[in-house]
Amino acid sequence: MLSTIEPRDDIAAAVQQIILSPSDADYLDQLIPAIKDASRSKRTAQLMQTLSHFSDDCEADIEKMCNSNHQEFVTSVNQLLRVREGTVSLTSEILNLNQSIQSSTEKLAEQKKALVDSRGVRQNINEAAQALKDCLEVLRLANHVHDLLAKKNHYAALRALDELQNVHLKEITQYKIADMIQQSVPATQKLVAEAVMTDLNTWLYRIRETSQFLGEVAFYHTELRRTRHKDRMERIPYLRNTKLNSAIELVSDEREEFDVLDNDNVQVDFTPLFECLHIHEALGQMDKFRSEYAATRRQQKELLLPSSILLVDGDHSSLNALLEGIAGFAIVERATMKKTQSLRSPVDVDELWDSMCQSAITLISKALNDVDNVDVLLKIKRIIALFIHTMNGWDYSVTVLDSFLLTLFEKYAELLKKRFSDDFQEIVQADDYMPMSIDSLDKYDKVVRISWYTPDKDQEDLRSVSPLPQIHRILTFRSFPCVLPFSQMYPLCCVNIRSFLNQFYFFSDDNFQHPNIIYETLKKSLDELLSEKVCKSLVERLNSQYLGQIVQILINLEHFEIACKELEQLLITARSSNSAGGPIILNATEEFRSNKKTAEKRIFELVNSKIDDLVETAEYDWIAPTLETEPSNYMQTLTRYLSNIMNSTLLGLPREIKELIYFDALSHAANMILSLPLSPEVRKINPNGVAALAKDVHYLAEFVDSLNNPILPETLDELQQTVNLMLADTSDEFYDVSTRNKKYGRVDPMNGPLLLENLR
């Protein structure tokens, strides 16, 4: 009820204000808002009704007033009519105005509605523009990821992709494009991983191509270190027992800083590896990457190793390439392990290293079958030793390579022995077995220096051979040409022995850590060479019928025995401190000593054979009718022969051997001469026959006495006493035991009666 009354009261109050307006302007000012309000609230009829009521009330008041005041009433009526006329006119105007206002209000409402609608559209446009802006930003970031990939900024691309996924995509989750980009993130991550792996594979390929050069640089640096270390050892005595890669050597060489992986010749940049490692770690794919990287390195290891190498003709390029490639590969592996925390484990690296070492040993062993030159083997050993030193400096185990050096040394020793065996054989066969002639002081000093020969210091002259072999002339000491006791084979063999020793120890330097094996192998090989190739060959030549050659062989055997004793002392000196102590006895020493007896026997055989031949030419007429006045021809020839061999053929023999040969030869000659009258063919002997024999024996005794050797005359005692018995006037003295022992003690008790019987 209140809601109905209150609007009416408002309109009445408005009408009251309009009526009470003091002027027309105010009247209109009050009327227009009232009309607008009525039109806005759709109460225009109510306003008109209120105005009509107000008009009727006014007319009633006027009529009442007119009844009392007619004139005034008429006047008022006239005025009222005029007012009414004005009111009608005003009402018409109000209606027109109301219609105009109504029309304006409708247009305004339409405009307001259009404005509201336009504001909604604009809001939608703004929201769509913001959404489009956000989506474009996401698309820009997505494209930026691919741009970074194209520029190979892989880690930046991965970070941008992570920012896109964890920040920007969350702002547009309501849009379908967010799902599309979110679904493409794994593919993009895969692109990043593939791109970085592509760069890594390129890096690995370059590393594989650079491995050999890297190894070559490492070898060169190791060789420089070894040279510097040798210089230090020469300058500083207490460093002589230190080895390369030892703590002392490393400290001494620390001033020479050198990075094999980063220098003027080669630079290995690990950035692609670090980036790839970092990206796979960020992607949570470390296990997969570690496995793929290990498989790739194994494949590269297989590609690094050739199917075969060549070691003949002194061409070691294939061996150098093999070991340099392995060294470069292993250095990169070790550096990778040290520079990364979890990519390469020591087990993986050492496994690859062991595999490469075994493959290299297999290739080298196969190629060694075609090598038959010790110099080539020595060069191979030096290359392998340089490889061992280089890799030992990178903390790699070189045990298997060190063991392979033993195999290489065995082949080296075998080839060296074969080579010197052939040399010794050739020297022995090519020798003339004549005393060696020296024609200059330089050659003399050289022979004395290389041979284990000490000239007799008390000797004041050397005998020089003139163009006539049997003529000698005495020269002052060191007058040339001069003659040495041994033949040319002895100093040549000494040279070969020294060369053999040196070449054995060429293998034993700071690169080979098995001196005991070298020592034992050297001792055994040297002993076998001297015994089998020198001594045995000399003994085989003892079958010669040439006495001078046999004598020279004996002299050579004597000097070789001395050389063997010197070699025993030399081997003791060269023996390492880790070897067992005690004296060293070469079997060859005893071989030469024992075969000297064989040579002596052979000389005895030849001399005695010659004596036999000469004695067989004796032509005694045991019943000669006349007395001989001159010694027999055979006796003169025999003494001349013995004198000649004493002064020429046997001259170079040691005095004791020469005396022994003379003693044996004279004893044999005496026995052969004594056998002549004891021959079964001799049935009768007369004094002329005995006199001829006695003259020859006396001639022989004078020759023996001329030798000025108190022992030699003993060889003729039996012969002389037997001849004296045959010359005796009576034979009773022989049968008298006391007289026989005194005068004929050396006469055979069986031969004496036989000869006396023939004399009768």
Side-chain angles (χ1 to χ4, degrees):
M1 193 70 182
L2 290 173
S3 60
T4 306
I5 296 173
E6 288 178 358
R8 288 181 178 180
D9 290 339
D10 292 338
I11 293 174
V15 172
Q16 187 66 33
Q17 290 179 357
I18 293 170
I19 297 299
L20 293 177
S21 297
S23 64
D24 293 339
D26 291 337
Y27 173 77
L28 290 175
D29 290 338
Q30 294 293 328
L31 179 61
I32 291 172
I35 294 172
K36 288 182 178 180
D37 290 338
S39 298
R40 187 179 297 114
S41 60
K42 297 181 180 181
R43 291 185 298 175
T44 306
Q46 187 178 357
L47 178 61
M48 295 298 296
Q49 185 178 1
T50 303
L51 289 174
S52 296
H53 284 303
F54 184 75
S55 177
D56 291 338
D57 290 339
C58 289
E59 287 181 356
D61 290 337
I62 293 171
E63 184 177 357
K64 184 179 178 179
M65 291 177 64
C66 287
N67 288 330
S68 58
N69 298 303
H70 182 266
Q71 187 60 40
E72 293 177 358
F73 177 73
V74 173
T75 303
S76 298
V77 170
N78 290 331
Q79 291 178 349
L80 184 58
L81 289 174
R82 285 195 298 269
V83 170
R84 183 177 180 83
E85 184 180 357
T87 301
V88 172
S89 177
L90 185 58
T91 299
S92 178
E93 290 179 1
I94 288 173
L95 290 174
N96 291 333
L97 180 60
N98 183 41
Q99 186 177 1
S100 176
I101 291 172
Q102 184 70 28
S103 177
S104 298
T105 302
E106 291 176 355
K107 186 181 294 184
L108 182 61
E110 290 176 357
Q111 291 177 350
K112 184 177 181 179
K113 182 179 179 182
L115 179 61
V116 171
D117 292 342
S118 65
R119 286 179 178 176
V121 172
R122 186 172 65 182
Q123 182 66 28
N124 291 338
I125 291 173
N126 290 338
E127 291 177 356
Q130 185 62 39
L132 183 60
K133 181 179 179 182
D134 294 340
C135 292
L136 288 175
E137 179 64 18
V138 170
L139 287 175
R140 186 189 67 79
L141 290 175
N143 291 331
H144 183 60
V145 171
H146 291 277
D147 292 339
L148 291 174
L149 281 178
K151 296 177 181 178
K152 297 187 179 299
N153 294 332
H154 304 120
Y155 187 71
L158 188 64
R159 292 297 90 199
L161 184 63
D162 183 70
E163 180 184 355
L164 175 65
Q165 182 181 14
N166 296 321
V167 178
H168 296 281
L169 282 181
K170 291 182 178 180
E171 297 177 357
I172 60 169
T173 54
Q174 66 274 27
Y175 305 117
K176 188 175 181 180
I177 191 174
D179 295 334
M180 296 174 61
I181 294 178
Q182 183 65 43
Q183 293 174 2
S184 69
V185 167
T188 307
Q189 290 177 338
K190 184 178 180 181
L191 286 177
V192 174
E194 290 176 350
V196 76
M197 281 301 296
T198 299
D199 286 354
L200 181 65
N201 289 333
T202 302
W203 179 78
L204 288 173
Y205 174 77
R206 291 174 180 171
I207 288 296
R208 182 169 68 85
E209 293 296 316
T210 312
S211 292
Q212 181 181 346
F213 184 61
L214 177 62
E216 182 181 350
V217 172
F219 281 12
Y220 177 73
H221 174 60
T222 303
E223 186 63 35
L224 291 180
R225 283 179 50 212
R226 188 162 61 182
T227 302
R228 291 195 296 268
H229 186 54
K230 287 182 178 179
D231 293 340
R232 283 193 295 269
M233 287 193 295
E234 292 178 358
R235 289 185 283 104
I236 307 174
Y238 73 83
L239 292 179
R240 290 175 183 172
N241 294 326
T242 61
K243 302 294 184 181
L244 201 65
N245 291 321
S246 64
I248 295 178
E249 186 274 330
L250 293 174
V251 171
S252 302
D253 201 62
E254 63 183 358
R255 282 186 250 175
E256 301 291 339
E257 295 184 2
F258 183 81
D259 189 353
V260 176
L261 297 169
D262 187 10
N263 51 75
D264 295 337
N265 297 312
V266 60
Q267 296 85 31
V268 178
D269 185 9
F270 285 88
T271 301
L273 176 61
F274 295 152
E275 185 179 18
C276 191
L277 181 66
H278 197 47
I279 285 177
H280 280 83
E281 186 175 6
L283 292 174
Q285 299 177 0
M286 272 302 300
D287 292 338
K288 178 182 177 182
F289 173 64
R290 191 181 298 111
S291 176
E292 291 180 354
Y293 185 84
T296 301
R297 291 300 278 170
R298 283 193 295 270
Q299 291 175 358
Q300 288 192 321
K301 183 263 294 183
E302 296 298 331
L303 294 174
L304 182 68
L305 301 173
S307 58
S308 63
I309 61 174
L310 295 176
L311 298 176
V312 294
D313 299 330
D315 182 12
H316 305 120
S317 58
S318 58
L319 176 61
N320 280 321
L322 172 65
L323 297 183
E324 288 168 357
I326 292 176
F329 185 94
I331 289 173
V332 171
E333 281 294 287
R334 185 66 76 190
T336 301
M337 188 189 77
K338 291 181 179 180
K339 291 178 181 293
T340 59
Q341 296 296 325
S342 59
L343 178 60
R344 302 293 284 159
S345 67
V347 175
D348 294 336
V349 175
D350 291 338
E351 180 182 355
L352 276 181
W353 165 250
D354 293 339
S355 174
M356 289 189 294
C357 287
Q358 290 294 345
S359 299
I361 289 174
T362 301
L363 290 170
I364 297 173
S365 300
K366 184 178 179 181
L368 282 177
N369 295 329
D370 300 327
V371 176
D372 57 358
N373 188 308
V374 293
D375 296 329
V376 173
L377 276 180
L378 200 59
K379 291 179 181 178
I380 293 171
K381 177 258 177 182
R382 288 172 179 167
I383 295 173
I384 295 177
L386 183 61
F387 175 62
I388 290 175
H389 277 312
T390 301
M391 302 319 297
N392 195 22
W394 284 87
D395 299 329
Y396 278 107
S397 173
V398 294
T399 303
V400 64
L401 295 170
D402 194 55
S403 300
F404 178 68
L405 283 183
L406 288 176
T407 304
L408 195 65
F409 172 70
E410 291 174 0
K411 185 173 181 66
Y412 177 80
E414 179 184 350
L415 290 179
L416 196 64
K417 181 180 175 182
K418 182 179 182 302
R419 169 180 164 184
F420 279 90
S421 175
D422 296 339
D423 291 345
F424 281 126
Q425 186 115 15
E426 183 178 353
I427 290 172
V428 172
Q429 292 178 354
D431 193 42
D432 58 3
Y433 294 96
M434 294 290 290
M436 185 176 181
S437 176
I438 303 293
D439 58 6
S440 68
L441 180 61
D442 290 340
K443 290 183 180 179
Y444 177 85
D445 291 339
K446 182 178 181 181
V447 170
V448 172
R449 185 172 62 254
I450 63 175
S451 305
W452 286 276
Y453 169 65
T454 303
D456 188 359
K457 299 301 182 182
D458 296 331
Q459 183 178 355
E460 297 181 354
D461 59 78
L462 295 173
R463 295 189 179 274
S464 62
V465 180
S466 68
L468 296 176
Q470 300 300 326
I471 300 177
H472 299 79
R473 65 176 183 268
I474 305 300
L475 299 178
T476 59
F477 183 62
R478 292 200 177 180
S479 295
F480 296 94
C482 67
V483 175
L484 298 178
F486 40 77
S487 66
Q488 190 174 3
M489 68 158 289
Y490 175 70
L492 290 178
C493 286
C494 289
V495 170
N496 267 18
I497 290 171
R498 293 182 183 274
S499 177
F500 184 73
L501 294 173
N502 290 335
Q503 292 208 35
F504 247 86
Y505 281 102
F506 282 163
F507 210 96
S508 175
D509 51 18
D510 58 342
N511 304 321
F512 191 69
Q513 309 300 324
H514 305 280
N516 292 341
I517 293 178
I518 286 186
Y519 167 76
E520 293 297 334
T521 306
L522 171 60
K523 176 186 172 185
K524 180 180 178 182
S525 300
L526 182 60
D527 209 355
E528 291 178 357
L529 283 174
L530 291 173
S531 298
E532 297 295 328
K533 299 302 176 182
V534 179
C535 186
K536 187 175 180 180
S537 297
L538 289 174
V539 172
E540 289 175 353
R541 289 186 168 268
L542 290 176
N543 294 325
S544 171
Q545 299 297 321
Y546 179 49
L547 179 61
Q549 183 174 349
I550 304 302
V551 171
Q552 191 61 60
I553 290 174
L554 176 58
I555 295 172
N556 290 350
L557 289 171
E558 174 77 18
H559 285 280
F560 274 116
E561 181 187 358
I562 297 172
C564 285
K565 293 178 180 178
E566 295 291 337
L567 284 172
E568 289 172 351
Q569 297 302 316
L570 185 62
L571 289 174
I572 291 175
T573 305
R575 183 168 53 191
S576 67
S577 58
N578 297 328
S579 301
I584 294 177
I585 304 297
L586 291 174
N587 295 329
T589 306
E590 182 58 32
E591 289 284 336
F592 286 115
R593 183 183 298 114
S594 62
N595 281 296
K596 282 196 308 180
K597 300 297 182 182
T598 305
E600 291 174 11
K601 292 178 181 179
R602 182 58 180 159
I603 292 175
F604 295 157
E605 291 177 1
L606 291 177
V607 173
N608 292 341
S609 175
K610 182 64 176 179
I611 292 174
D612 291 344
D613 294 339
L614 293 174
V615 173
E616 286 178 359
T617 63
E619 298 178 351
Y620 285 108
D621 185 358
W622 298 109
I623 56 175
T626 59
L627 184 66
E628 292 289 339
T629 60
E630 296 293 334
S632 302
N633 290 331
Y634 91 91
M635 182 57 67
Q636 295 180 30
T637 304
L638 175 62
T639 55
R640 188 163 52 249
Y641 169 71
L642 292 175
S643 177
N644 287 340
I645 65 172
M646 172 68 76
N647 295 318
S648 59
T649 306
L650 305 180
L651 184 62
L653 287 175
R655 183 175 59 85
E656 61 274 9
I657 296 179
K658 184 163 56 176
E659 290 179 352
L660 182 61
I661 293 174
Y662 253 83
F663 188 89
D664 183 81
L666 291 172
S667 298
H668 184 73
N671 291 333
M672 291 300 296
I673 295 171
L674 183 60
S675 68
L676 293 175
L678 293 172
S679 174
E681 299 175 355
V682 179
R683 298 294 182 180
K684 186 177 181 181
I685 303 175
N686 65 16
N688 291 334
V690 174
L693 178 61
K695 187 176 287 295
D696 289 342
V697 171
H698 179 71
Y699 184 82
L700 180 61
E702 288 181 344
F703 168 74
V704 173
D705 290 338
S706 69
L707 298 177
N708 297 321
N709 191 320
I711 299 177
L712 295 180
E714 297 178 4
T715 60
L716 303 179
D717 286 348
E718 182 181 4
L719 178 60
Q720 287 178 321
Q721 290 182 14
T722 302
V723 171
N724 290 337
L725 175 62
M726 295 173 69
L727 292 173
D729 295 333
T730 177
S731 60
D732 295 338
E733 294 179 348
F734 181 74
Y735 294 108
D736 183 357
V737 176
S738 61
T739 305
R740 184 180 66 186
N741 290 336
K742 184 177 180 180
K743 295 179 66 175
Y744 309 111
R746 301 297 296 272
V747 178
D748 189 288
M750 299 299 295
N751 293 336
L754 180 60
L755 292 173
L756 292 175
E757 182 65 24
N758 289 339
L759 282 171
R760 291 193 185 100

